Amino acid sequence: WLPYTKIKLYTNAFIVKDNKVLLGFKKRGFGKGKYNGFGGKVDPGETSLQAAVRELQEESGVTAPLEHAGTLFFVSEGEDWAFEIEIYRADSYEGDITESDEMRPEWFSTVGVLDGDSQSSTIPFSKMWESDIVWFPYLISKRKFAGRADFTREGDEFRLHRWWYGTV
Ligand code: 6OG
């Protein structure tokens, strides 16, 4: 494990509406083949909220009144950088949901997540980042959260090694 010397700041945004959450199937780049919220790198001079609104628009076609939902911190074996990901959510949006080069948007029912039964829900946790199942109940129930997860590497695959999550 290397000590990290750089922190890369990213955003991730979720629309949660009518007991459904909008996820995107990532078609290319980092996290390809996984479902995730819409987001990307925070550009110089931008706040994380501005980046979250911009990335959501670019990748899903919609504009939403995003609110901060939580902060995640990841480190990975073999990397000298860490990820800080600011998570945002909104329960409304404007515009038409459209597929982009990067993301194919899809709604999933949140039923089950709030009853502590995330495994049985239809949210595709097995095709998401491994730690998402831990904080998703907080996202859906609007409890602010923060957490850290450590990943090991097996070739191109990241494996969840240990994690700590809490609500504020
Ligand atoms: P681009 O490189 O495509 O942005 N991301 C993660 N999201 C979750 N839920 N868990 C992780 O665990 C993640 N690592 C990265 C941040 C990459 C997108 O992927 C997210 C960005 O939204 C390790 O611009």
Side-chain angles (χ1 to χ4, degrees):
W1 292 80
L2 295 166
Y4 60 84
T5 54
K6 264 190 300 188
I7 298 172
K8 297 186 181 178
L9 183 57
Y10 284 79
T11 65
N12 225 203
F14 298 84
I15 311 279
V16 186
K17 196 170 186 269
D18 304 327
N19 297 315
K20 284 182 300 224
V21 60
L22 186 67
L23 300 177
F25 181 79
K26 189 98 189 274
K27 299 195 288 185
R28 65 170 195 210
F30 190 72
K32 182 180 172 185
K34 284 184 166 66
Y35 285 94
N36 206 344
F38 302 88
K41 251 201 178 99
V42 177
D43 288 337
E46 238 183 357
T47 65
S48 66
L49 174 60
Q50 288 166 339
V53 170
R54 175 182 56 73
E55 291 278 353
L56 175 68
Q57 214 286 324
E58 286 172 8
E59 294 180 357
S60 78
V62 306
T63 307
L66 294 174
E67 287 179 34
H68 192 242
T71 302
L72 305 178
F73 196 79
F74 299 117
V75 295
S76 176
E77 183 183 28
E79 305 292 349
D80 65 352
W81 41 262
F83 268 123
E84 181 183 330
I85 305 182
E86 297 297 346
I87 309 281
Y88 287 87
R89 58 163 282 154
D91 39 36
S92 66
Y93 64 90
E94 281 176 14
D96 294 321
I97 296 169
T98 31
E99 182 166 346
S100 60
D101 291 350
E102 199 160 327
M103 286 286 216
R104 178 164 44 81
E106 198 176 328
W107 289 103
F108 291 93
S109 168
T110 59
V111 172
V113 174
L114 292 185
D115 315 319
D117 197 16
S118 298
Q119 292 286 3
S120 80
S121 80
T122 60
I123 295 175
F125 288 112
S126 65
K127 292 181 197 158
M128 294 164 70
W129 283 101
E130 235 181 316
S131 57
D132 289 11
I133 196 167
V134 183
W135 51 266
F136 236 72
Y138 306 142
L139 174 78
I140 301 303
S141 62
K142 294 194 180 181
R143 279 180 293 164
K144 280 213 178 197
F145 57 94
R148 167 182 160 184
D150 297 358
F151 290 84
T152 53
R153 284 289 280 273
E154 283 165 29
D156 286 347
E157 276 296 301
F158 291 85
R159 284 269 147 260
L160 185 61
H161 177 57
R162 55 186 176 178
W163 51 265
W164 301 260
Y165 284 94
T167 50
V168 175

